């Protein structure tokens, strides 16, 4: 530009007929300005002279020709780019290097596009769909089976068991009894309705009954001690005519000798060893 200033502010050389640069209303000849104020280029480390375009990003500077993708070397001038560890990359290289891959199609999820996160994996929004009806899952409740996602209605239609007691769908857990599925909370004693999932129980006419109720209402009573014979855990008992005994209770009423495997005699409801019965 033509000088309206007479001398360079730094070297005091005349500026008449020469190009100069202004800084804080002071005029400098081009060599002085470049040596004093030109920013070093981040790429080539050379000063960005006043007759060159200075491109700046976060306090760093580049020549226009040096402002390129660090991986593919394509110019980033007036193009979108991303920075990783202070290195500039075009969006394509950044995506290839750092962006998430879609769990379904394994293609890159480009920066700025919407992605879905589920169980530590990422999906394109268009790939995050029900495996059966192909409708987007978005933030809807879903159920996963064999690494495939299903909306709840489709999962229930395809896979879910229905509780034998309440007939509603069992979405997780549950109990199997007599090859029939039950909700844990529905698997209860047929008499007192106590949950049986963590208790011992006995089957009576294909219905589960807790030990207490079975003993109280259904178990046979020992003719000797009058306590219930539950046969729980494989316990054995003796049966004769209409009476039953615990094995340890099947003794002569007079001498208390065990009659298990021995001949015995009966007197009304009592049992006697052969010796006591013959006396």
């Amino acid at each position: 530009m033509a000088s309206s200033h007479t001398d360079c502010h730094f070297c005091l050389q005349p500026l008449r007929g020469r190009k100069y640069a202004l800084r804080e209303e002071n005029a400098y000849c081009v060599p002085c300005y470049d040596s004093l104020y030109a920013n070093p280029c981040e790429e080539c480390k050379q000063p960005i002279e006043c007759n060159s375009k200075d491109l700046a990003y976060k306090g760093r500077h580049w020549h226009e020709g040096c402002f390129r993708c660090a991986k593919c070397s394509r110019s980033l001038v007036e193009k979108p780019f991303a920075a990783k560890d202070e290195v500039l990359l075009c969006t394509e290289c950044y995506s290839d290097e750092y962006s998430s891959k879609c769990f379904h199609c394994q293609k890159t999820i480009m920066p700025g596009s919407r992605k879905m996160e589920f169980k530590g994996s990422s999906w394109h929004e268009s790939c995050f769909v029900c495996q059966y009806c192909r409708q987007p899952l978005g933030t809807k409740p879903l159920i996963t089976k064999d690494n495939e996602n299903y909306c709840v209605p489709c999962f229930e239609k395809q896979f879910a068991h229905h509780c034998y007691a309440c007939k509603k769908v069992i979405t997780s857990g549950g109990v199997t009894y007599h090859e029939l599925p039950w909700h844990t909370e529905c698997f209860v004693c047929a008499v007192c309705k106590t949950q049986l999932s963590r208790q011992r129980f006995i089957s009576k006419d294909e219905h589960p009954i807790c030990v207490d109720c079975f003993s109280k209402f259904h178990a046979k009573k020992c003719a000797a001690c009058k306590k219930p014979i539950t046969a729980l855990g494989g316990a054995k008992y003796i049966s004769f005519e209409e009476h039953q005994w615990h094995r340890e209770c099947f003794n002569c009423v007079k001498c208390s000798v065990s009659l298990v495997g021995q001949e015995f005699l009966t007197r009304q409801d009592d049992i006697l060893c052969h010796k006591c019965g013959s006396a």
Side-chain angles (χ1 to χ4, degrees):
M1 63 179 67
S3 176
S4 60
H5 296 73
T6 56
D7 301 319
C8 171
H9 184 71
F10 185 73
C11 70
L12 304 180
Q13 294 296 314
L15 295 176
R16 188 178 299 278
R18 301 170 63 189
K19 289 182 179 180
Y20 70 95
L22 289 174
R23 184 178 178 89
E24 297 176 356
E25 298 185 359
N26 295 317
Y28 298 84
C29 64
V30 170
C32 287
Y33 185 88
D34 289 341
S35 65
L36 291 172
Y37 302 115
N39 294 305
C41 175
E42 194 74 22
E43 176 67 20
C44 70
K45 311 305 179 186
Q46 298 299 312
I48 304 172
E49 299 171 342
C50 66
N51 57 356
S52 299
K53 193 171 184 179
D54 185 333
L55 299 179
Y57 174 71
K58 290 190 174 180
R60 297 186 294 158
H61 300 264
W62 288 262
H63 290 105
E64 186 174 13
C66 294
F67 195 61
R68 299 176 304 213
C69 173
K71 187 173 182 182
C72 70
S73 298
R74 283 184 291 184
S75 174
L76 298 178
V77 177
E78 297 183 359
K79 292 181 180 178
F81 63 89
K84 179 69 176 178
D85 300 328
E86 298 189 353
V87 174
L88 302 185
L89 298 167
C90 64
T91 53
E92 290 82 359
C93 289
Y94 183 88
S95 298
D96 290 342
E97 193 74 19
Y98 301 109
S99 291
S100 303
K101 297 290 192 297
C102 176
F103 183 84
H104 177 73
C105 69
Q106 294 302 307
K107 294 181 180 179
T108 299
I109 301 175
M110 298 296 290
S113 62
R114 189 174 181 187
K115 69 177 179 180
M116 309 303 295
E117 299 280 350
F118 180 65
K119 289 188 175 180
S121 299
S122 302
W123 277 262
H124 290 110
E125 186 177 22
S126 58
C127 292
F128 194 59
V129 298
C130 170
Q131 180 67 17
Y132 185 72
C133 69
R134 311 307 299 175
Q135 293 300 307
L137 290 170
T139 57
K140 298 176 183 176
L142 61 91
I143 300 173
T144 301
K145 178 179 174 61
D146 299 331
N147 288 327
E148 299 289 357
N149 299 320
Y150 298 85
C151 64
V152 173
C154 286
F155 182 86
E156 293 178 354
K157 185 185 299 182
Q158 292 294 108
F159 305 109
H161 296 292
H162 288 76
C163 176
Y164 179 75
C166 71
K167 312 305 179 186
K168 295 181 180 179
V169 170
I170 301 173
T171 57
S172 63
V175 176
T176 299
Y177 172 67
H178 280 218
E179 298 184 357
L180 296 172
W182 307 61
H183 288 114
T184 302
E185 60 272 20
C186 292
F187 189 62
V188 299
C189 172
V191 179
C192 69
K193 307 306 179 184
T194 300
Q195 285 194 18
L196 298 175
S197 58
R198 296 185 179 180
Q199 294 191 39
R200 294 188 298 175
F201 62 90
I202 297 170
S203 178
K204 173 69 175 176
D205 300 328
E206 297 190 353
H207 295 291
I209 300 176
C210 70
V211 173
D212 291 342
C213 287
F214 185 87
S215 299
K216 184 176 181 180
F217 297 106
H218 298 286
K220 299 179 185 299
K221 300 294 191 296
C222 175
C225 71
K226 309 305 180 184
K227 293 180 180 179
I229 302 171
T230 65
L232 190 65
K236 295 181 180 179
Y237 65 96
I238 308 297
S239 180
F240 178 71
E241 293 183 347
E242 298 298 321
H243 301 290
Q244 289 80 31
W245 292 262
H246 294 110
R247 282 178 63 90
E248 61 272 21
C249 294
F250 194 60
N251 303 320
C252 174
V253 296
K254 283 193 174 183
C255 68
S256 299
V257 67
S258 174
L259 298 178
V260 178
Q262 306 296 320
E263 292 183 356
F264 63 91
L265 301 173
T266 61
R267 182 180 297 164
Q268 294 181 352
D269 291 338
D270 296 330
I271 55 174
L272 300 160
C273 67
H274 194 273
K275 182 179 179 180
C276 291
S278 301

